Each structure stands twice: as C-alpha cells, then as structure tokens.
Amino acid sequence: MVSKKVPYVAQVQESECGLCCVSMIMRYHGEKVSVKTLSKKVEIGRDGISLNDMKNILIGFGYDVKLYEASSSMLQKINDQPLIIFWNNSHFVVLERIKNNSFVIVDPSIGRITVNNKEFNNHFSNIVLWCKPKKDKTIIKERENYLKVYTDFFNSHKGIFLLILFISILSYGMTLITPNIMKFLTDNYDNIEKVKTSGNLLLITLAIFIYIFVFIIRSLLIVRFSALMDKSIYEKVAKKLLSVSYSFFLTRNSSDLMYRLGLLKTNREYLINTVLKGIIDFGMVLTINVIMYNVNPILFWFTTIISIFMGLILLYIRKKILTNHRLEIIESTKLQSLEYETLSAMFTIKASNQESFMKGLLYEQYQKALKLYKKRTFNNDLYSMVISLFSTFGPVCLFLVIFFVLDGQISIGEAIFGYTLLGIYFSSLGSIFTAFNVYGTLKNNLERISDILEHPSQDKNKNSIKIKSIDTIKFKNVSFKYPGQKEYVLKNLNFTINKGEKVAFVGKTGSGKSTIIGLLLGLYPPAEGEILVNGFNIQDIEMESFKSLIGFVPQEPFIFNKSIKDNILMNQEYSLSKVEEVAKIAQIDKEINNMPMKYETVISEFGHNISGGQKQRIILARALIHGPELIILDEATSSVDNLTEQSITSYFNNNNKTQIIIAHRLSTIVNSDMIFVVENGTITASGTHKELLETCLTYKHLNMEESEVEPVYYGC
C-alpha cells in the first residue's frame, strides 16, 4: 500500500502528461526533477511519449521498472508503489492508491480525484508501469524558480523598488498614528482644553496631509514601476516566442499561448498590489505584536492564538482555491481556443449551416469554464469572508478579554488603543494570507509562462556564414520526421537546384512537398543528411542573410488587419511607386486602384473582405518587395485564373530568378527545368514535363486528372 500522497505536477501542454507522471513518481520518492529536465531525455511530439519512453527515462535515472498488462483487480497486488497507468487510450495518470474499492488518481490535467470501481474500469486501458528507485541511487533535487523573470527585473531596478518599499513602509507606519490619536483623545476626554490646544490639532492636521502626500508619491512610483515591469517582461516573452524553433509551435495550441500572454497583466497586478503589500504587512504584523506585548503579554497571546486559528482555516480554503484555479485555466484555455477557431471559420460555419452545432460546442465548453469559475469565486468569497470576520470581530473579542480577563489592569485609552491597533493587525494579517494565496495562483500562471521563457532559443552560431547570393541548394541524403514521431515523412532525398533554374515538386496531398520547403527555409533541421547552400551546411549559415534573398508565398497566406500597402511593406522602407510596381507584377494593381481607398484600403481580420485570389496576389507582392533572387511558391497561384497565372509565370521566366514551385496545377510547371515527383516522402522520378509524361506513370496520372477538371478557355 502506498504510504503517502503523490505530489501533483500540472501539465502545461496536452502532450506532456507522460512526463508529468514521471516527475510525480520521482517526487514521491524524494526527488525533484522538472518536466523541462525530463523533456531533454526524450523528444516530445504531437502525440506525446509512450510508456516505453517513460521506462527508458526512469531506468536512466536509476529506477527498477516493469511494464504490465493487467486488469483493475490485479492492481492491488502491485500497488505497493504509485503506478503510471494508461487512461482513456490517450492519456497517462498516476494511480496513487486503492482503498475500499475506490481508486485515487492523480491526473496531470485536473489534479487528484477519487473514482469508484465502475468509473475506473471505464477509463483504465489495462497497461501499467511500476517502478522503484534502486538502493544505491543518488537522489536528485532541482531548484525551480518560477519567479526568476521577475526577480531579475527587481534586481536590475533596485533603486526604484527600494524607494517604493521605503515609502510603503512609511505609509503603513503612519497608520499606527491613528491608534495613538484615539488613545490620546480617549484619555483626555475629560480634559477638552488639552485636546483643543493648537499644537495637538496642528499635529493631527499635519499627519493627515503627510499621509496624503506619501500616498500620492507611492501611487505614482508604483504606476511607473508597474509599467516598466510590464514592458520588460512582455518584451522578454515576445522576443522568446519569436526566437524559439518552429517545432515549439507544433506541440502547443495558439489560443493557449495567447492566454499565457494575457496572464502577464494578471501577474503584474498580483505582484504589485497583493504580494508586495503582503510583504510590508508582514512587517506591520510583527510591529503590532511587539506593541501588544509591551502593552500587556495577555493581549499578545490573544492575537497570536487567534491568528493561528485564522491561518488554519485559510490554509484549508486555499487548497481548494488553487485546485479550482488550475482547472479553470485549463477549461478557459479550451474555451478561448474554441472561440478563436469559431471566429476564424465563420464563413465555413455559415456556408455549411453549422451554426447550431457550433453554438452547442461553445455553450458546452462555456458551461464547464463557468462551473469552475463559480467554484473558485465561491471559495475566494469564503476566503475573504473569513478575513473580514476576524478583522471585524477580532477587536470585539479583544474587548471581551479586557473586560473579563484584564478587568481594571489597563485604562480605557489603552483599551481603545488596542482595539484600533487590532483592527489594523487583522487587516494586515488578512493581506498576508491573501498574498500567500495569490502566490499559489501566481505560481500556476508562471508555470505556463516559464514553459515559453525556459524553452531554448534557436541556436545562433556566432561564426555563422553570411551569404550574398544563392548559387546552389543541395539536399544530400536528407531524411526528416516531426518531433516525437517515429515515422519519417521524408526519406533519403537527393537533388540539386542551381541559380536561375525553375524547379517544381509535384505529388498528391500529404506526400511531403511542403515539408521539403520547411526544411529549405530552416524551420526545422533534417533528422539525417545535409542541406547545403553554396556548399555550406545550412545550419552554419546566418539565416537572416539567407532568408533576405528569398521571397516565399505560402499555401495558406496570412493577411493582417491593416491597409493593403502595410500588408505589402511589412514595416519595410520602400516608396509607394515600388509598392505599385510589385502589385503590377502580382497582377493585383488594377483591382487595388478600383477600390475607393486604393492602397490605403484596410483589409479585415483574416482577409474576409477580399477574395482568395486577391489575398494570394497581395502576399506575392509582399514576397517580391525586397527583390529576392529565389522565389518559393507553395501552391501560390491556386486561387487565381489561368490567364493571371500565366502573366505571373511569364514575369519570373523573363527575370532569371531561381524558382521553386509546389503545385497541383501542372500547367504552372510545364516549362520547369526539372520536376521532382514526390510519393510517400521520397522522390520517385525527376525530369522535364515531356520526359515525365513518357517515363512516369504517377506524373501521367496527375496530368490526366488535371485535364479532367481544368476549364478550357475559347477565344480571347
């Protein structure tokens, strides 16, 4: 029987549940190894990792590991250790213990749950991993600092931070004047003349004005500091997102990444308005305890005991808040993802009469997120109610202690002093516990942000080779598979492209054509073999200099919600005449000039207010604006008519530019110097259009398929 609870490790991305389970098992055995460290031992892809991968990781860390195929009734015999089990045929969870026919599961996506035998059997996929550390194993304890990005900022801005801290302490210290004023007024209730003396009233008035002045200065400093912090952290995260390899985005949801960026603003509020306040209030609580002890030790022990009681209640509620918050993040992310996809596909939804279906999906996910929001909000309100209860009735209880325990030992002025002081004390104590609670929420948020910040940036070789032209591109025994996948999508590719040549890749959908372009553009490195540019390995070439020579038009061009001119320029400094020149080459100039706003016409989000052909030609103009010597067209003219396509092709043919074309429409490539036929990730044939028609059955079939569907134009 398992002797203790399994520490929970939350998954940040859907494909890392297996690594989270391994991390939980290791933490159960006294080790602390992060998911980030474990991910370096195995490549995580779209499909996650297997039990065999987990087995190899644990063996590498010094564990005895066994894999079983077992029914739920057999698990009791091997549940002397927590077990990693396969769940729903698509997920991994940890089975912590079996007790009274109930199963305690620690799920990386939702936390600890208890299910009965029937529920367990509905989800259990009958595959189990058992492991135990070897006796001579060295225990590993990593230190995780989720706050590093913020502590680094604080260290680099110590001056303003210390000034805020000093002024905050001064501001809070001035609140202690209130109890003293109340004590003075109460003790001199019968001596009105003493109260009315100009000196005393002047001091009280001066204290009010100093408090207002300090408060305003503190607020101005905090606003400035918050803005600096927000700018610094946002720039770091944005820079990291743009510097990581493309493979990072293959295993992460775009909406989830957007949600994480939104968490940056939440964290700023938490740190400045709650955590910083809690730290200062901790000093306030200590100060008041010292004052209480000096007034009367019994008052000190009263506040200490009631504080401990309050703390125990709040700690219990805090666990529920953090669990619900973690679950709410997961469901809210799913909702945002579904909302984003719905808005992106609105044309298709309405065209295919799927409004009711999508409304049902949205409402179902919204209900899940709303349910968790209500739970978290209720627990937050309960938490606040406990703080309010002690802040309100704690001072009242103090009066009862004074009346029944300290009868006659302190004056009325001292009693009022203690009452007012205790009001501040419980307010500060509540602030400390709120900061402690928020820190847990902050940690949940930072786990998701750290996944971005701690991901290695794409390596940049300081001695990388700058190139000024692209003379040759050579694929030498190149094979490729996507991260974490076993099957190769490209196998042993060999070809050479020389300057000025027009080269095409053809093949059925899914054959690997676009992946070849991704490799050529350096989006991912080959698993095997080399890609040589001018005889140099592409990994040794400075990518900025390489890509500055390329114009790329993707299969799914992305248009920004900006003017046509801005979409072509993309923040580059070129004259309007240059913009008009490339628009003419892309055969879009006449249509732009027929628009009322011409090049200042604003394109709607996702380019919904222009046609697919117009979108492709604007992207083509964007690719040509910097005068590239290599043009890569990935189905770039699939949405334009034959005559427009012929005009665009004619320009390229007459300008001696190197062209790499991926096309289904073979009329685009009949004049190519070389055509490669791609099937199942391999090049099965190559040659000119005429040669392939005679020698390659696959190419001949592609040509026949096109002939059946291509429209025939008669006359002018």
Side-chain angles (χ1 to χ4, degrees), residues 227-263:
L228 274 173
M229 183 174 70
D230 203 38
K231 181 174 179 287
S232 173
I233 306 303
Y234 185 83
E235 284 178 352
K236 277 190 177 181
V237 175
K239 182 181 178 182
K240 175 62 78 169
L241 274 174
L242 293 170
S243 66
V244 296
S245 64
Y246 182 65
S247 60
F248 174 85
F249 301 95
L250 296 177
T251 55
R252 287 159 181 82
N253 184 292
S254 297
S255 298
D256 180 41
L257 293 174
M258 289 169 62
Y259 186 82
R260 296 183 203 186
L261 290 173
L263 292 176

Coordinates of all heavy atoms in Angstrom, one line a residue, residues 227-263:
A227 N 4.6 49.8 -15.0 CA 4.7 50.0 -16.4 C 6.0 49.5 -16.9 O 6.1 48.8 -18.0 CB 4.5 51.4 -16.8
L228 N 7.1 49.8 -16.2 CA 8.4 49.3 -16.6 C 8.5 47.8 -16.5 O 9.1 47.2 -17.4 CB 9.5 49.9 -15.6 CG 10.1 51.3 -15.8 CD1 10.9 51.7 -14.7 CD2 10.9 51.3 -17.1
M229 N 7.9 47.2 -15.5 CA 8.0 45.8 -15.3 C 7.2 45.1 -16.4 O 7.6 44.1 -17.0 CB 7.4 45.4 -14.0 CG 7.5 43.9 -13.7 SD 7.0 43.4 -12.0 CE 5.2 43.8 -12.1
D230 N 6.0 45.6 -16.7 CA 5.1 45.1 -17.7 C 5.8 45.1 -19.1 O 5.8 44.1 -19.8 CB 3.8 45.9 -17.8 CG 2.7 45.1 -18.4 OD1 2.6 43.8 -18.1 OD2 1.9 45.6 -19.1
K231 N 6.4 46.2 -19.4 CA 7.1 46.4 -20.7 C 8.3 45.4 -20.8 O 8.5 44.7 -21.8 CB 7.6 47.8 -20.8 CG 8.4 48.1 -22.1 CD 8.7 49.6 -22.2 CE 9.5 50.0 -23.4 NZ 10.8 49.5 -23.4
S232 N 9.1 45.3 -19.7 CA 10.3 44.4 -19.7 C 9.9 43.0 -19.9 O 10.5 42.3 -20.7 CB 11.0 44.6 -18.4 OG 12.1 43.7 -18.3
I233 N 8.9 42.5 -19.1 CA 8.5 41.1 -19.1 C 7.9 40.8 -20.5 O 8.2 39.7 -21.0 CB 7.6 40.7 -18.0 CG1 8.2 41.1 -16.6 CG2 7.3 39.3 -18.0 CD1 9.5 40.6 -16.3
Y234 N 7.0 41.6 -20.9 CA 6.3 41.4 -22.2 C 7.3 41.3 -23.3 O 7.2 40.4 -24.2 CB 5.3 42.5 -22.5 CG 4.5 42.2 -23.7 CD1 3.4 41.4 -23.7 CD2 4.9 42.7 -25.0 CE1 2.6 41.1 -24.8 CE2 4.1 42.5 -26.1 CZ 3.0 41.7 -26.0 OH 2.3 41.4 -27.2
E235 N 8.3 42.2 -23.3 CA 9.3 42.2 -24.4 C 10.1 40.9 -24.3 O 10.5 40.3 -25.4 CB 10.3 43.4 -24.3 CG 9.6 44.7 -24.7 CD 10.5 45.9 -24.6 OE1 11.6 45.7 -23.9 OE2 10.2 47.0 -25.0
K236 N 10.4 40.4 -23.1 CA 11.2 39.1 -23.0 C 10.4 38.0 -23.5 O 10.9 37.1 -24.3 CB 11.5 38.9 -21.5 CG 12.7 39.6 -21.0 CD 13.1 39.1 -19.6 CE 14.4 39.8 -19.2 NZ 14.8 39.3 -17.8
V237 N 9.1 37.9 -23.2 CA 8.3 36.8 -23.6 C 8.1 36.8 -25.1 O 8.2 35.8 -25.8 CB 6.9 36.8 -22.9 CG1 6.0 35.7 -23.4 CG2 7.1 36.6 -21.4
A238 N 7.8 38.0 -25.7 CA 7.6 38.2 -27.1 C 8.8 37.8 -27.9 O 8.8 37.2 -28.9 CB 7.1 39.6 -27.4
K239 N 10.0 38.3 -27.4 CA 11.3 38.0 -28.0 C 11.5 36.5 -28.0 O 12.0 35.9 -29.0 CB 12.4 38.7 -27.3 CG 13.8 38.5 -27.9 CD 14.8 39.3 -27.1 CE 16.2 39.0 -27.7 NZ 17.3 39.7 -26.9
K240 N 11.2 35.9 -26.9 CA 11.4 34.4 -26.8 C 10.5 33.7 -27.8 O 11.0 32.7 -28.4 CB 11.2 33.9 -25.4 CG 11.3 32.4 -25.2 CD 12.7 31.9 -25.5 CE 13.6 32.1 -24.4 NZ 14.9 31.4 -24.6
L241 N 9.2 34.1 -27.8 CA 8.3 33.4 -28.8 C 8.8 33.5 -30.2 O 8.6 32.6 -31.0 CB 6.9 34.1 -28.7 CG 6.0 33.5 -27.6 CD1 4.7 34.4 -27.5 CD2 5.6 32.1 -27.8
L242 N 9.4 34.6 -30.5 CA 9.9 34.8 -31.9 C 11.3 34.2 -32.2 O 11.7 34.1 -33.3 CB 9.9 36.3 -32.3 CG 8.5 36.9 -32.3 CD1 8.6 38.4 -32.4 CD2 7.7 36.3 -33.5
S243 N 12.0 33.7 -31.1 CA 13.3 33.2 -31.3 C 13.4 31.7 -31.1 O 14.4 31.1 -31.4 CB 14.3 33.8 -30.3 OG 13.9 33.5 -28.9
V244 N 12.3 31.1 -30.6 CA 12.3 29.6 -30.4 C 12.1 29.0 -31.8 O 11.6 29.6 -32.7 CB 11.2 29.1 -29.5 CG1 11.4 29.6 -28.1 CG2 9.8 29.5 -30.0
S245 N 12.5 27.7 -31.9 CA 12.4 27.0 -33.2 C 10.9 26.8 -33.5 O 10.0 26.7 -32.6 CB 13.1 25.7 -33.1 OG 12.5 24.8 -32.2
Y246 N 10.6 26.5 -34.8 CA 9.2 26.3 -35.2 C 8.6 25.1 -34.6 O 7.4 25.0 -34.4 CB 9.2 26.2 -36.8 CG 7.8 26.1 -37.3 CD1 6.9 27.1 -37.2 CD2 7.4 24.9 -38.0 CE1 5.6 27.0 -37.7 CE2 6.2 24.8 -38.5 CZ 5.2 25.8 -38.3 OH 4.0 25.7 -38.8
S247 N 9.4 24.1 -34.2 CA 8.9 22.9 -33.6 C 8.2 23.2 -32.3 O 7.3 22.4 -31.9 CB 10.1 21.9 -33.4 OG 11.0 22.5 -32.5
F248 N 8.5 24.3 -31.6 CA 7.8 24.7 -30.4 C 6.3 24.8 -30.6 O 5.5 24.5 -29.8 CB 8.5 26.0 -29.9 CG 7.8 26.6 -28.7 CD1 8.1 26.2 -27.4 CD2 6.8 27.6 -28.8 CE1 7.5 26.7 -26.3 CE2 6.2 28.1 -27.7 CZ 6.5 27.7 -26.5
F249 N 6.0 25.4 -31.8 CA 4.6 25.7 -32.1 C 3.8 24.5 -32.6 O 2.6 24.5 -32.7 CB 4.5 26.9 -33.1 CG 5.1 28.1 -32.6 CD1 6.5 28.4 -32.9 CD2 4.5 29.0 -31.7 CE1 7.1 29.6 -32.4 CE2 5.1 30.1 -31.3 CZ 6.4 30.4 -31.6
L250 N 4.6 23.5 -33.0 CA 3.9 22.2 -33.5 C 3.2 21.5 -32.4 O 2.3 20.7 -32.6 CB 4.9 21.3 -34.2 CG 5.6 21.9 -35.4 CD1 6.6 20.9 -36.0 CD2 4.6 22.2 -36.5
T251 N 3.7 21.7 -31.1 CA 3.1 20.9 -30.0 C 2.3 21.8 -29.0 O 2.0 21.4 -27.9 CB 4.3 20.2 -29.2 OG1 5.2 21.2 -28.8 CG2 4.9 19.2 -30.1
R252 N 2.1 23.1 -29.4 CA 1.3 24.0 -28.5 C 0.2 24.6 -29.2 O 0.3 24.9 -30.4 CB 2.3 25.0 -27.9 CG 3.2 24.4 -26.8 CD 4.4 25.3 -26.6 NE 5.3 24.7 -25.6 CZ 6.2 23.8 -25.9 NH1 6.3 23.3 -27.1 NH2 7.0 23.3 -24.9
N253 N -0.9 24.9 -28.5 CA -2.1 25.5 -29.0 C -1.9 27.0 -29.1 O -1.5 27.6 -28.1 CB -3.3 25.1 -28.2 CG -4.6 25.6 -28.7 OD1 -4.8 26.8 -28.7 ND2 -5.4 24.6 -29.1
S254 N -2.2 27.6 -30.2 CA -2.1 29.1 -30.4 C -2.9 29.8 -29.4 O -2.5 30.8 -28.8 CB -2.5 29.5 -31.8 OG -1.6 28.9 -32.7
S255 N -4.1 29.4 -29.1 CA -5.0 30.1 -28.2 C -4.5 30.0 -26.8 O -4.6 30.9 -26.0 CB -6.4 29.5 -28.2 OG -7.0 29.6 -29.5
D256 N -3.8 28.8 -26.5 CA -3.2 28.7 -25.1 C -2.1 29.7 -25.0 O -1.9 30.3 -23.9 CB -2.7 27.3 -25.0 CG -2.1 27.0 -23.6 OD1 -2.6 27.5 -22.6 OD2 -1.0 26.3 -23.5
L257 N -1.3 29.9 -26.0 CA -0.2 30.8 -26.0 C -0.7 32.3 -25.8 O -0.1 33.1 -25.1 CB 0.7 30.7 -27.2 CG 1.5 29.4 -27.4 CD1 2.2 29.4 -28.7 CD2 2.5 29.2 -26.2
M258 N -1.8 32.6 -26.5 CA -2.4 33.9 -26.3 C -2.9 34.1 -24.9 O -2.8 35.2 -24.3 CB -3.6 34.0 -27.3 CG -3.2 34.1 -28.8 SD -4.6 34.0 -29.9 CE -5.6 35.4 -29.4
Y259 N -3.5 33.0 -24.3 CA -4.0 33.1 -22.9 C -2.8 33.3 -22.0 O -2.9 34.1 -21.0 CB -4.7 31.8 -22.6 CG -5.3 31.7 -21.2 CD1 -6.6 32.3 -21.1 CD2 -4.7 31.2 -20.1 CE1 -7.2 32.3 -19.8 CE2 -5.3 31.2 -18.9 CZ -6.6 31.7 -18.7 OH -7.2 31.7 -17.5
R260 N -1.7 32.7 -22.3 CA -0.5 32.9 -21.4 C 0.0 34.4 -21.5 O 0.4 34.9 -20.4 CB 0.6 32.0 -21.8 CG 0.3 30.5 -21.6 CD 1.5 29.7 -22.0 NE 1.1 28.3 -22.4 CZ 2.0 27.3 -22.6 NH1 3.2 27.6 -22.5 NH2 1.5 26.1 -22.9
L261 N -0.1 35.0 -22.6 CA 0.3 36.4 -22.8 C -0.6 37.3 -21.9 O -0.1 38.2 -21.3 CB 0.3 36.8 -24.2 CG 1.4 36.2 -25.1 CD1 1.2 36.6 -26.6 CD2 2.8 36.7 -24.7
G262 N -1.9 36.9 -21.9 CA -2.8 37.6 -21.1 C -2.5 37.5 -19.6 O -2.8 38.4 -18.8
L263 N -1.9 36.4 -19.2 CA -1.6 36.2 -17.8 C -0.5 37.2 -17.3 O -0.4 37.4 -16.1 CB -1.1 34.8 -17.5 CG -2.2 33.6 -17.7 CD1 -1.5 32.3 -17.5 CD2 -3.3 33.8 -16.7

